[in-house]
Amino acid sequence: MEALVDELVSYLLIANQSKIAIKRQDIIKHVFKDNSKAFSGVLNQAKVKLENVFGLKLVELEKNCFLLVNNIVNAFPEDFESDDHTRRGLLMTILSLILLDGNEIGENELYENLRKIGVDVDHPHDVFGDVRQLINENFVKQMYLECEKQTAMDPPKILYRWGARARAETTEEDVQDFISSIVANEDS
Amino acid sequence: MQNAHRLFLQTFMYHGIMKGKEVKDSHKRAVEHFEGTYNETDLVHFVKTVNDGIRPFHLEIKKAMDEVTESHFYILVNKAETSITRQSSDFNVNQLELFKKLISAVVESDDGLISSTDALNLSGQLEGVKMSKKDAAKLFESLKQKKWINEVDGSYYLGPRSVTELEFYILEEYEAATKCHLCQKLCLHGQNCDQCDVRLHNFCAARCFRGSRNAVCPREECRAVWRHAVRNMDGDEPTSTPQTDSQQLSQKTAKRSRRQ
């Protein structure tokens, strides 16, 4: 049993590297194989080990998906490589815009606001490259952002909200602090 | 395991490989963040505690030296899957093939180096879908960034991350792969005996011969005169031959580019 717990922990760590949600059926396929009855028990023990050894929290989302998020403290910004750092900055900006717009923002509004701060989604950006791809494929896939297509409307409207990972990894307060720090810098 | 260990471990999991100095800084930050007393000498024990914690998950933090620059690194190794296919989450099939070809070329070479031109030409040897030289160059850049390979004087070699993480795979897969006679770890770049198969890391040779003028092959059955430059442990003047290793290196790479 213990061996199965350790295997599950190993699997979750590797699966988490891509930052895409880990599906319950994949876990069962790769770790449990025929043993799926043991799932809940083993998962709970794995949770404990993830917290005790790695300081990571296993978060269960709707639709039988899982995430690993940091349980101890936000890592030091110096630790991130510069690409990630700037991307995080962009992400925080988008999260702020969503927050300021009442928790959801339309695609056009989002792009308009980004244009105002010098990020034009229609042209390859020096640092971010294809911004549309970054937003729709990276941030949405990694669940930092949630994207909803309202096909009932004509033309179909696209809305962005905070994704499950953003909700698990940060708080509205953190983002508000981020906004205040930028505003404060602009004033000074 | 305490929070300082967890934070240190998370940093490691993010980077995969860190220089000796970065590890020291990370240790210091982690301890001080959780209001512990920092002591530089605690590092060995600190890493041991982390290693004890992660062992059940086939993980280990290992120390390794870059075979060319001799800088110290710490690497978080996943021992569960030692085959190279584990890396497939980062690279597509073609890219993996090219990486494998690069590894093959490095292992078959005498000195663990392959000129960047030769490396780019490997892309023409791929079976199936060909890869353009441009894409090959991009892959090598990416491998460099992720520290799988390093570059010196226009030649690529396998960095400590590859030598450590892929050691098992390389020794299994390639007959030509040799271990350093002294430390018994995979050695791709080092000093070869003139008479026999023995190969030594530069730093292992330095430690063994300690600047002695009468260096001989450490293999009992051989004992041939060791003609390579063997520096003192302080790293200053070489004692046996007038050429330093880096001079030999630049001569070799110059010869290689003249040949092309």
Side-chain angles (χ1 to χ4, degrees):
Chain A
M1 172 79 152
E2 175 103 26
L4 202 54
V5 178
D6 291 345
E7 281 307 307
L8 177 57
V9 171
S10 298
Y11 176 80
L12 289 171
L13 289 171
I14 296 180
N16 189 54
Q17 276 175 6
S18 58
K19 287 207 164 181
I20 300 176
I22 311 166
K23 297 198 191 120
R24 183 193 168 109
Q25 61 218 58
D26 285 337
I27 298 177
I28 294 187
K29 186 166 93 174
H30 289 118
V31 181
F32 288 86
K33 299 175 201 179
D34 295 323
N35 252 341
S36 56
K37 281 195 192 149
F39 187 78
S40 305
V42 173
L43 191 72
N44 283 332
Q45 288 194 41
K47 251 189 194 174
V48 173
K49 291 206 180 190
L50 284 166
E51 282 186 33
N52 284 344
V53 178
F54 299 92
L56 294 172
K57 194 162 72 180
L58 183 68
V59 175
E60 183 162 359
L61 306 170
E62 35 179 68
K63 292 195 211 157
N64 287 326
C65 289
F66 297 93
L67 282 186
L68 286 181
V69 294
N70 193 322
N71 200 28
I72 41 177
V73 73
N74 284 324
F76 298 102
E78 308 93 71
D79 283 344
F80 289 129
E81 300 185 337
S82 55
D83 263 1
D84 255 6
H85 201 174
T86 45
R87 256 186 229 156
R88 241 183 157 73
L90 179 66
L91 176 63
M92 279 299 248
T93 307
I94 297 175
L95 292 177
S96 317
L97 290 169
I98 296 175
L99 196 61
L100 290 171
D101 213 45
N103 294 325
E104 65 181 37
I105 193 170
E107 184 185 39
N108 292 329
E109 266 182 272
L110 176 63
Y111 291 159
E112 190 51 45
N113 277 298
L114 288 177
R115 206 160 295 153
K116 285 188 193 159
I117 57 168
V119 179
D120 187 344
V121 298
D122 290 323
H123 296 109
H125 191 267
D126 286 340
V127 175
F128 302 119
D130 187 339
V131 181
R132 262 182 223 268
Q133 191 185 57
L134 182 59
I135 294 178
N136 290 309
E137 289 185 22
N138 291 33
F139 290 160
V140 171
K141 241 188 179 172
Q142 292 175 356
M143 303 195 311
Y144 283 111
L145 296 178
E146 201 178 273
C147 174
E148 187 193 320
K149 270 201 180 103
Q150 294 185 330
T151 46
M153 316 258 308
D154 181 30
K157 198 167 182 213
I158 297 182
L159 288 177
Y160 289 99
R161 296 189 194 93
W162 279 35
R165 189 182 289 274
R167 276 181 262 128
E169 283 188 8
T170 190
T171 60
E172 289 190 6
E173 277 166 349
D174 280 345
V175 176
Q176 276 166 352
D177 286 343
F178 172 76
I179 299 173
S180 320
S181 69
I182 296 192
V183 174
N185 279 337
E186 278 183 18
D187 285 342
S188 59
Chain B
M1 293 278 283
Q2 294 168 331
N3 275 336
H5 299 100
R6 296 175 190 125
L7 182 57
F8 177 79
L9 178 56
Q10 283 190 13
T11 312
F12 239 111
M13 287 174 69
Y14 178 76
H15 290 281
I17 175 173
M18 294 209 280
K19 293 195 189 124
K21 172 135 198 337
E22 290 169 339
V23 170
K24 286 199 180 132
D25 289 342
S26 193
H27 171 220
K28 181 167 194 275
R29 274 208 304 262
V31 169
E32 288 179 350
H33 185 88
F34 291 103
E35 285 155 30
T37 355
Y38 172 70
N39 210 320
E40 196 175 328
T41 50
D42 287 340
L43 180 62
V44 173
H45 185 80
F46 192 82
V47 173
K48 183 175 184 308
T49 307
V50 173
N51 272 337
D52 287 341
I54 58 180
R55 193 164 300 122
F57 315 111
H58 314 295
L59 295 169
E60 188 180 339
I61 295 176
K62 285 192 175 176
K63 273 173 86 161
M65 269 174 99
D66 182 303
E67 288 179 325
V68 171
T69 65
E70 302 187 21
S71 324
H72 289 273
F73 288 89
Y74 287 75
I75 304 158
L76 180 61
V77 178
N78 187 325
K79 295 181 288 186
E81 287 168 61
T82 49
S83 118
I84 197 175
T85 51
R86 176 170 67 83
Q87 314 308 332
S88 54
S89 58
D90 280 341
F91 303 112
N92 67 37
V93 172
N94 247 7
Q95 290 172 323
L96 266 184
E97 269 307 303
L98 187 57
F99 187 23
K100 278 192 201 171
K101 289 224 180 286
L102 181 69
I103 294 177
S104 185
V106 164
V107 172
E108 306 283 343
S109 77
D110 275 340
D111 53 8
L113 299 166
I114 175 171
S115 77
S116 45
T117 323
D118 287 344
L120 286 174
N121 285 335
L122 290 173
S123 60
Q125 289 177 22
L126 289 177
E127 295 159 14
V129 181
K130 299 290 176 209
M131 192 189 277
S132 70
K133 289 224 176 110
K134 192 165 155 207
D135 285 338
K138 265 200 211 158
L139 173 66
F140 295 144
E141 260 318 296
S142 177
L143 288 172
K144 246 173 77 177
Q145 252 192 20
K146 299 201 163 115
K147 310 261 176 58
W148 293 102
I149 63 178
N150 287 339
E151 193 177 338
V152 66
D153 290 341
S155 288
Y156 293 126
Y157 63 96
L158 293 187
R161 189 172 190 183
S162 298
V163 175
T164 313
E165 282 211 58
L166 306 175
E167 177 173 26
F168 189 74
Y169 162 78
I170 292 176
L171 288 170
E172 281 256 305
E173 185 82 6
Y174 300 103
E175 261 187 67
T178 0
K179 292 189 196 174
C180 167
H181 187 87
L182 291 172
C183 72
Q184 286 301 307
K185 289 210 191 128
L186 177 64
C187 179
L188 297 170
H189 171 84
Q191 305 175 358
N192 299 329
C193 176
D194 287 337
Q195 307 274 22
C196 74
D197 283 336
V198 159
R199 181 181 280 185
L200 302 178
H201 288 116
N202 293 334
F203 37 85
C204 292
R207 203 181 307 140
C208 170
F209 300 136
R210 286 187 204 283
S212 143
R213 289 180 177 280
N214 301 317
V216 291
C217 176
R219 199 165 77 97
E220 267 186 23
E221 300 90 353
C222 177
R223 294 295 190 218
V225 171
W226 198 263
R227 269 193 269 264
H228 295 273
V230 178
R231 62 171 203 282
N232 289 321
M233 280 306 286
D234 308 320
D236 295 319
E237 300 301 308
T239 52
S240 22
T241 61
Q243 271 186 345
T244 61
D245 271 356
S246 53
Q247 278 175 317
Q248 274 182 345
L249 208 68
S250 14
Q251 279 184 351
K252 271 199 188 137
T253 46
K255 256 194 229 160
R256 216 175 281 126
S257 22
R258 275 206 293 274
R259 246 188 283 146
Q260 281 152 8

PDB file of all heavy atoms in Angstrom, chain A residues 55-83:
ATOM      1  N   GLY A  55       5.735  20.438   0.711  1.00  0.00           N
ATOM      2  CA  GLY A  55       5.031  21.691   0.970  1.00  0.00           C
ATOM      3  C   GLY A  55       4.051  22.007  -0.144  1.00  0.00           C
ATOM      4  O   GLY A  55       3.846  23.165  -0.490  1.00  0.00           O
ATOM      5  N   LEU A  56       3.476  20.979  -0.744  1.00  0.00           N
ATOM      6  CA  LEU A  56       2.526  21.180  -1.831  1.00  0.00           C
ATOM      7  C   LEU A  56       1.144  20.692  -1.412  1.00  0.00           C
ATOM      8  O   LEU A  56       1.004  19.680  -0.746  1.00  0.00           O
ATOM      9  CB  LEU A  56       2.958  20.398  -3.076  1.00  0.00           C
ATOM     10  CG  LEU A  56       4.244  20.856  -3.748  1.00  0.00           C
ATOM     11  CD1 LEU A  56       4.650  19.884  -4.830  1.00  0.00           C
ATOM     12  CD2 LEU A  56       4.073  22.239  -4.339  1.00  0.00           C
ATOM     13  N   LYS A  57       0.142  21.433  -1.838  1.00  0.00           N
ATOM     14  CA  LYS A  57      -1.226  21.060  -1.495  1.00  0.00           C
ATOM     15  C   LYS A  57      -1.914  20.480  -2.724  1.00  0.00           C
ATOM     16  O   LYS A  57      -1.836  21.038  -3.819  1.00  0.00           O
ATOM     17  CB  LYS A  57      -1.981  22.311  -1.021  1.00  0.00           C
ATOM     18  CG  LYS A  57      -3.291  21.993  -0.332  1.00  0.00           C
ATOM     19  CD  LYS A  57      -3.797  23.158   0.483  1.00  0.00           C
ATOM     20  CE  LYS A  57      -4.310  24.257  -0.423  1.00  0.00           C
ATOM     21  NZ  LYS A  57      -4.807  25.403   0.376  1.00  0.00           N
ATOM     22  N   LEU A  58      -2.586  19.356  -2.533  1.00  0.00           N
ATOM     23  CA  LEU A  58      -3.327  18.749  -3.640  1.00  0.00           C
ATOM     24  C   LEU A  58      -4.734  19.321  -3.617  1.00  0.00           C
ATOM     25  O   LEU A  58      -5.464  19.174  -2.644  1.00  0.00           O
ATOM     26  CB  LEU A  58      -3.369  17.230  -3.466  1.00  0.00           C
ATOM     27  CG  LEU A  58      -4.054  16.449  -4.575  1.00  0.00           C
ATOM     28  CD1 LEU A  58      -3.245  16.527  -5.854  1.00  0.00           C
ATOM     29  CD2 LEU A  58      -4.229  14.989  -4.171  1.00  0.00           C
ATOM     30  N   VAL A  59      -5.090  19.997  -4.677  1.00  0.00           N
ATOM     31  CA  VAL A  59      -6.400  20.629  -4.734  1.00  0.00           C
ATOM     32  C   VAL A  59      -7.273  19.858  -5.717  1.00  0.00           C
ATOM     33  O   VAL A  59      -6.853  19.584  -6.833  1.00  0.00           O
ATOM     34  CB  VAL A  59      -6.250  22.100  -5.203  1.00  0.00           C
ATOM     35  CG1 VAL A  59      -7.610  22.739  -5.391  1.00  0.00           C
ATOM     36  CG2 VAL A  59      -5.423  22.887  -4.215  1.00  0.00           C
ATOM     37  N   GLU A  60      -8.479  19.530  -5.286  1.00  0.00           N
ATOM     38  CA  GLU A  60      -9.361  18.822  -6.213  1.00  0.00           C
ATOM     39  C   GLU A  60     -10.333  19.807  -6.831  1.00  0.00           C
ATOM     40  O   GLU A  60     -10.969  20.604  -6.148  1.00  0.00           O
ATOM     41  CB  GLU A  60     -10.150  17.736  -5.485  1.00  0.00           C
ATOM     42  CG  GLU A  60     -11.018  16.936  -6.445  1.00  0.00           C
ATOM     43  CD  GLU A  60     -11.467  15.602  -5.889  1.00  0.00           C
ATOM     44  OE1 GLU A  60     -11.081  15.298  -4.740  1.00  0.00           O
ATOM     45  OE2 GLU A  60     -12.188  14.888  -6.591  1.00  0.00           O
ATOM     46  N   LEU A  61     -10.421  19.765  -8.137  1.00  0.00           N
ATOM     47  CA  LEU A  61     -11.327  20.674  -8.823  1.00  0.00           C
ATOM     48  C   LEU A  61     -12.548  19.913  -9.304  1.00  0.00           C
ATOM     49  O   LEU A  61     -12.566  18.696  -9.296  1.00  0.00           O
ATOM     50  CB  LEU A  61     -10.630  21.286 -10.035  1.00  0.00           C
ATOM     51  CG  LEU A  61      -9.310  21.964  -9.772  1.00  0.00           C
ATOM     52  CD1 LEU A  61      -8.649  22.297 -11.092  1.00  0.00           C
ATOM     53  CD2 LEU A  61      -9.522  23.240  -8.982  1.00  0.00           C
ATOM     54  N   GLU A  62     -13.515  20.620  -9.784  1.00  0.00           N
ATOM     55  CA  GLU A  62     -14.676  19.972 -10.373  1.00  0.00           C
ATOM     56  C   GLU A  62     -14.208  19.160 -11.573  1.00  0.00           C
ATOM     57  O   GLU A  62     -13.132  19.364 -12.088  1.00  0.00           O
ATOM     58  CB  GLU A  62     -15.660  21.030 -10.825  1.00  0.00           C
ATOM     59  CG  GLU A  62     -14.908  22.263 -11.331  1.00  0.00           C
ATOM     60  CD  GLU A  62     -15.834  23.325 -11.817  1.00  0.00           C
ATOM     61  OE1 GLU A  62     -16.535  23.901 -10.974  1.00  0.00           O
ATOM     62  OE2 GLU A  62     -15.849  23.541 -13.041  1.00  0.00           O
ATOM     63  N   LYS A  63     -15.025  18.267 -12.027  1.00  0.00           N
ATOM     64  CA  LYS A  63     -14.713  17.406 -13.176  1.00  0.00           C
ATOM     65  C   LYS A  63     -13.524  16.493 -12.916  1.00  0.00           C
ATOM     66  O   LYS A  63     -12.783  16.159 -13.822  1.00  0.00           O
ATOM     67  CB  LYS A  63     -14.385  18.256 -14.428  1.00  0.00           C
ATOM     68  CG  LYS A  63     -15.568  19.015 -14.985  1.00  0.00           C
ATOM     69  CD  LYS A  63     -15.277  19.523 -16.374  1.00  0.00           C
ATOM     70  CE  LYS A  63     -16.006  20.821 -16.646  1.00  0.00           C
ATOM     71  NZ  LYS A  63     -15.424  21.629 -17.678  1.00  0.00           N
ATOM     72  N   ASN A  64     -13.357  16.077 -11.627  1.00  0.00           N
ATOM     73  CA  ASN A  64     -12.329  15.069 -11.335  1.00  0.00           C
ATOM     74  C   ASN A  64     -10.934  15.425 -11.805  1.00  0.00           C
ATOM     75  O   ASN A  64     -10.224  14.597 -12.366  1.00  0.00           O
ATOM     76  CB  ASN A  64     -12.734  13.727 -11.970  1.00  0.00           C
ATOM     77  CG  ASN A  64     -13.868  13.096 -11.226  1.00  0.00           C
ATOM     78  OD1 ASN A  64     -13.954  13.233 -10.013  1.00  0.00           O
ATOM     79  ND2 ASN A  64     -14.756  12.443 -11.933  1.00  0.00           N
ATOM     80  N   CYS A  65     -10.565  16.685 -11.579  1.00  0.00           N
ATOM     81  CA  CYS A  65      -9.203  17.097 -11.926  1.00  0.00           C
ATOM     82  C   CYS A  65      -8.459  17.519 -10.676  1.00  0.00           C
ATOM     83  O   CYS A  65      -9.068  17.916  -9.695  1.00  0.00           O
ATOM     84  CB  CYS A  65      -9.230  18.309 -12.860  1.00  0.00           C
ATOM     85  SG  CYS A  65      -9.786  17.908 -14.475  1.00  0.00           S
ATOM     86  N   PHE A  66      -7.153  17.443 -10.732  1.00  0.00           N
ATOM     87  CA  PHE A  66      -6.355  17.827  -9.585  1.00  0.00           C
ATOM     88  C   PHE A  66      -5.255  18.792  -9.974  1.00  0.00           C
ATOM     89  O   PHE A  66      -4.793  18.827 -11.105  1.00  0.00           O
ATOM     90  CB  PHE A  66      -5.708  16.577  -8.969  1.00  0.00           C
ATOM     91  CG  PHE A  66      -6.693  15.603  -8.434  1.00  0.00           C
ATOM     92  CD1 PHE A  66      -7.135  14.563  -9.236  1.00  0.00           C
ATOM     93  CD2 PHE A  66      -7.193  15.722  -7.145  1.00  0.00           C
ATOM     94  CE1 PHE A  66      -8.058  13.655  -8.752  1.00  0.00           C
ATOM     95  CE2 PHE A  66      -8.116  14.814  -6.664  1.00  0.00           C
ATOM     96  CZ  PHE A  66      -8.551  13.775  -7.461  1.00  0.00           C
ATOM     97  N   LEU A  67      -4.849  19.553  -8.960  1.00  0.00           N
ATOM     98  CA  LEU A  67      -3.747  20.497  -9.116  1.00  0.00           C
ATOM     99  C   LEU A  67      -2.837  20.374  -7.912  1.00  0.00           C
ATOM    100  O   LEU A  67      -3.298  20.078  -6.821  1.00  0.00           O
ATOM    101  CB  LEU A  67      -4.259  21.922  -9.007  1.00  0.00           C
ATOM    102  CG  LEU A  67      -4.966  22.674 -10.066  1.00  0.00           C
ATOM    103  CD1 LEU A  67      -5.135  24.081  -9.538  1.00  0.00           C
ATOM    104  CD2 LEU A  67      -4.149  22.735 -11.331  1.00  0.00           C
ATOM    105  N   LEU A  68      -1.559  20.721  -8.124  1.00  0.00           N
ATOM    106  CA  LEU A  68      -0.684  20.851  -6.974  1.00  0.00           C
ATOM    107  C   LEU A  68      -0.335  22.321  -6.837  1.00  0.00           C
ATOM    108  O   LEU A  68       0.113  22.931  -7.801  1.00  0.00           O
ATOM    109  CB  LEU A  68       0.601  20.050  -7.189  1.00  0.00           C
ATOM    110  CG  LEU A  68       0.510  18.531  -7.074  1.00  0.00           C
ATOM    111  CD1 LEU A  68       1.880  17.919  -7.297  1.00  0.00           C
ATOM    112  CD2 LEU A  68      -0.008  18.128  -5.715  1.00  0.00           C
ATOM    113  N   VAL A  69      -0.578  22.864  -5.674  1.00  0.00           N
ATOM    114  CA  VAL A  69      -0.172  24.258  -5.477  1.00  0.00           C
ATOM    115  C   VAL A  69       0.707  24.375  -4.252  1.00  0.00           C
ATOM    116  O   VAL A  69       0.743  23.518  -3.391  1.00  0.00           O
ATOM    117  CB  VAL A  69      -1.385  25.206  -5.323  1.00  0.00           C
ATOM    118  CG1 VAL A  69      -2.159  25.268  -6.603  1.00  0.00           C
ATOM    119  CG2 VAL A  69      -2.263  24.786  -4.172  1.00  0.00           C
ATOM    120  N   ASN A  70       1.407  25.486  -4.184  1.00  0.00           N
ATOM    121  CA  ASN A  70       2.325  25.759  -3.109  1.00  0.00           C
ATOM    122  C   ASN A  70       1.571  25.961  -1.802  1.00  0.00           C
ATOM    123  O   ASN A  70       0.614  26.720  -1.744  1.00  0.00           O
ATOM    124  CB  ASN A  70       3.086  27.033  -3.482  1.00  0.00           C
ATOM    125  CG  ASN A  70       4.274  27.243  -2.605  1.00  0.00           C
ATOM    126  OD1 ASN A  70       4.234  26.986  -1.422  1.00  0.00           O
ATOM    127  ND2 ASN A  70       5.332  27.719  -3.207  1.00  0.00           N
ATOM    128  N   ASN A  71       2.032  25.283  -0.778  1.00  0.00           N
ATOM    129  CA  ASN A  71       1.331  25.358   0.496  1.00  0.00           C
ATOM    130  C   ASN A  71       2.050  26.227   1.509  1.00  0.00           C
ATOM    131  O   ASN A  71       1.517  26.535   2.567  1.00  0.00           O
ATOM    132  CB  ASN A  71       1.225  23.922   1.056  1.00  0.00           C
ATOM    133  CG  ASN A  71       0.140  23.800   2.087  1.00  0.00           C
ATOM    134  OD1 ASN A  71      -0.828  24.543   2.047  1.00  0.00           O
ATOM    135  ND2 ASN A  71       0.306  22.896   3.013  1.00  0.00           N
ATOM    136  N   ILE A  72       3.287  26.570   1.250  1.00  0.00           N
ATOM    137  CA  ILE A  72       4.034  27.245   2.307  1.00  0.00           C
ATOM    138  C   ILE A  72       4.144  28.752   2.122  1.00  0.00           C
ATOM    139  O   ILE A  72       3.693  29.518   2.930  1.00  0.00           O
ATOM    140  CB  ILE A  72       5.425  26.621   2.544  1.00  0.00           C
ATOM    141  CG1 ILE A  72       6.100  26.262   1.234  1.00  0.00           C
ATOM    142  CG2 ILE A  72       5.284  25.387   3.397  1.00  0.00           C
ATOM    143  CD1 ILE A  72       7.500  25.726   1.433  1.00  0.00           C
ATOM    144  N   VAL A  73       4.748  29.151   1.054  1.00  0.00           N
ATOM    145  CA  VAL A  73       4.905  30.587   0.879  1.00  0.00           C
ATOM    146  C   VAL A  73       5.151  30.840  -0.591  1.00  0.00           C
ATOM    147  O   VAL A  73       5.565  29.940  -1.309  1.00  0.00           O
ATOM    148  CB  VAL A  73       6.108  31.085   1.720  1.00  0.00           C
ATOM    149  CG1 VAL A  73       7.416  30.636   1.085  1.00  0.00           C
ATOM    150  CG2 VAL A  73       6.106  32.605   1.842  1.00  0.00           C
ATOM    151  N   ASN A  74       4.886  32.035  -1.038  1.00  0.00           N
ATOM    152  CA  ASN A  74       5.212  32.322  -2.430  1.00  0.00           C
ATOM    153  C   ASN A  74       6.705  32.278  -2.612  1.00  0.00           C
ATOM    154  O   ASN A  74       7.441  32.845  -1.836  1.00  0.00           O
ATOM    155  CB  ASN A  74       4.706  33.707  -2.832  1.00  0.00           C
ATOM    156  CG  ASN A  74       3.208  33.684  -3.041  1.00  0.00           C
ATOM    157  OD1 ASN A  74       2.664  32.708  -3.526  1.00  0.00           O
ATOM    158  ND2 ASN A  74       2.543  34.753  -2.656  1.00  0.00           N
ATOM    159  N   ALA A  75       7.166  31.581  -3.634  1.00  0.00           N
ATOM    160  CA  ALA A  75       8.606  31.476  -3.860  1.00  0.00           C
ATOM    161  C   ALA A  75       9.168  32.863  -4.126  1.00  0.00           C
ATOM    162  O   ALA A  75       8.467  33.765  -4.532  1.00  0.00           O
ATOM    163  CB  ALA A  75       8.878  30.556  -5.032  1.00  0.00           C
ATOM    164  N   PHE A  76      10.434  33.011  -3.866  1.00  0.00           N
ATOM    165  CA  PHE A  76      11.066  34.306  -4.047  1.00  0.00           C
ATOM    166  C   PHE A  76      11.157  34.643  -5.524  1.00  0.00           C
ATOM    167  O   PHE A  76      11.552  33.836  -6.320  1.00  0.00           O
ATOM    168  CB  PHE A  76      12.462  34.287  -3.436  1.00  0.00           C
ATOM    169  CG  PHE A  76      12.427  34.025  -1.964  1.00  0.00           C
ATOM    170  CD1 PHE A  76      12.724  32.782  -1.467  1.00  0.00           C
ATOM    171  CD2 PHE A  76      12.054  35.024  -1.091  1.00  0.00           C
ATOM    172  CE1 PHE A  76      12.662  32.537  -0.110  1.00  0.00           C
ATOM    173  CE2 PHE A  76      11.993  34.792   0.263  1.00  0.00           C
ATOM    174  CZ  PHE A  76      12.300  33.539   0.759  1.00  0.00           C
ATOM    175  N   PRO A  77      10.813  35.878  -5.874  1.00  0.00           N
ATOM    176  CA  PRO A  77      10.848  36.251  -7.286  1.00  0.00           C
ATOM    177  C   PRO A  77      12.217  36.039  -7.927  1.00  0.00           C
ATOM    178  O   PRO A  77      12.303  35.760  -9.098  1.00  0.00           O
ATOM    179  CB  PRO A  77      10.436  37.721  -7.287  1.00  0.00           C
ATOM    180  CG  PRO A  77      10.297  38.137  -5.876  1.00  0.00           C
ATOM    181  CD  PRO A  77      10.323  36.943  -5.018  1.00  0.00           C
ATOM    182  N   GLU A  78      13.298  36.166  -7.146  1.00  0.00           N
ATOM    183  CA  GLU A  78      14.623  35.988  -7.754  1.00  0.00           C
ATOM    184  C   GLU A  78      14.804  34.571  -8.265  1.00  0.00           C
ATOM    185  O   GLU A  78      15.657  34.313  -9.078  1.00  0.00           O
ATOM    186  CB  GLU A  78      15.768  36.247  -6.747  1.00  0.00           C
ATOM    187  CG  GLU A  78      15.714  37.538  -6.013  1.00  0.00           C
ATOM    188  CD  GLU A  78      14.992  37.374  -4.684  1.00  0.00           C
ATOM    189  OE1 GLU A  78      15.562  36.740  -3.792  1.00  0.00           O
ATOM    190  OE2 GLU A  78      13.885  37.901  -4.582  1.00  0.00           O
ATOM    191  N   ASP A  79      14.010  33.649  -7.716  1.00  0.00           N
ATOM    192  CA  ASP A  79      14.178  32.264  -8.114  1.00  0.00           C
ATOM    193  C   ASP A  79      13.678  31.990  -9.515  1.00  0.00           C
ATOM    194  O   ASP A  79      14.103  31.045 -10.143  1.00  0.00           O
ATOM    195  CB  ASP A  79      13.431  31.337  -7.155  1.00  0.00           C
ATOM    196  CG  ASP A  79      14.189  31.174  -5.853  1.00  0.00           C
ATOM    197  OD1 ASP A  79      15.376  31.521  -5.831  1.00  0.00           O
ATOM    198  OD2 ASP A  79      13.577  30.713  -4.889  1.00  0.00           O
ATOM    199  N   PHE A  80      12.745  32.781  -9.967  1.00  0.00           N
ATOM    200  CA  PHE A  80      12.202  32.526 -11.293  1.00  0.00           C
ATOM    201  C   PHE A  80      13.168  32.975 -12.360  1.00  0.00           C
ATOM    202  O   PHE A  80      13.884  33.938 -12.202  1.00  0.00           O
ATOM    203  CB  PHE A  80      10.889  33.270 -11.496  1.00  0.00           C
ATOM    204  CG  PHE A  80       9.764  32.707 -10.689  1.00  0.00           C
ATOM    205  CD1 PHE A  80       8.987  33.524  -9.903  1.00  0.00           C
ATOM    206  CD2 PHE A  80       9.475  31.373 -10.735  1.00  0.00           C
ATOM    207  CE1 PHE A  80       7.944  33.012  -9.169  1.00  0.00           C
ATOM    208  CE2 PHE A  80       8.434  30.848  -9.995  1.00  0.00           C
ATOM    209  CZ  PHE A  80       7.670  31.673  -9.217  1.00  0.00           C
ATOM    210  N   GLU A  81      13.149  32.279 -13.472  1.00  0.00           N
ATOM    211  CA  GLU A  81      13.954  32.736 -14.588  1.00  0.00           C
ATOM    212  C   GLU A  81      13.223  33.884 -15.231  1.00  0.00           C
ATOM    213  O   GLU A  81      12.018  33.991 -15.129  1.00  0.00           O
ATOM    214  CB  GLU A  81      14.165  31.565 -15.540  1.00  0.00           C
ATOM    215  CG  GLU A  81      14.859  30.502 -14.761  1.00  0.00           C
ATOM    216  CD  GLU A  81      15.289  29.274 -15.515  1.00  0.00           C
ATOM    217  OE1 GLU A  81      14.717  28.989 -16.562  1.00  0.00           O
ATOM    218  OE2 GLU A  81      16.186  28.629 -15.003  1.00  0.00           O
ATOM    219  N   SER A  82      13.958  34.727 -15.921  1.00  0.00           N
ATOM    220  CA  SER A  82      13.373  36.019 -16.314  1.00  0.00           C
ATOM    221  C   SER A  82      12.154  35.885 -17.216  1.00  0.00           C
ATOM    222  O   SER A  82      11.224  36.650 -17.099  1.00  0.00           O
ATOM    223  CB  SER A  82      14.431  36.899 -16.960  1.00  0.00           C
ATOM    224  OG  SER A  82      15.013  36.186 -18.025  1.00  0.00           O
ATOM    225  N   ASP A  83      12.135  34.855 -18.081  1.00  0.00           N
ATOM    226  CA  ASP A  83      10.973  34.676 -18.962  1.00  0.00           C
ATOM    227  C   ASP A  83       9.705  34.490 -18.154  1.00  0.00           C
ATOM    228  O   ASP A  83       8.687  35.110 -18.390  1.00  0.00           O
ATOM    229  CB  ASP A  83      11.137  33.388 -19.792  1.00  0.00           C
ATOM    230  CG  ASP A  83      11.693  33.709 -21.157  1.00  0.00           C
ATOM    231  OD1 ASP A  83      11.947  34.905 -21.423  1.00  0.00           O
ATOM    232  OD2 ASP A  83      11.854  32.777 -21.940  1.00  0.00           O
TER     233      ASP A  83
END
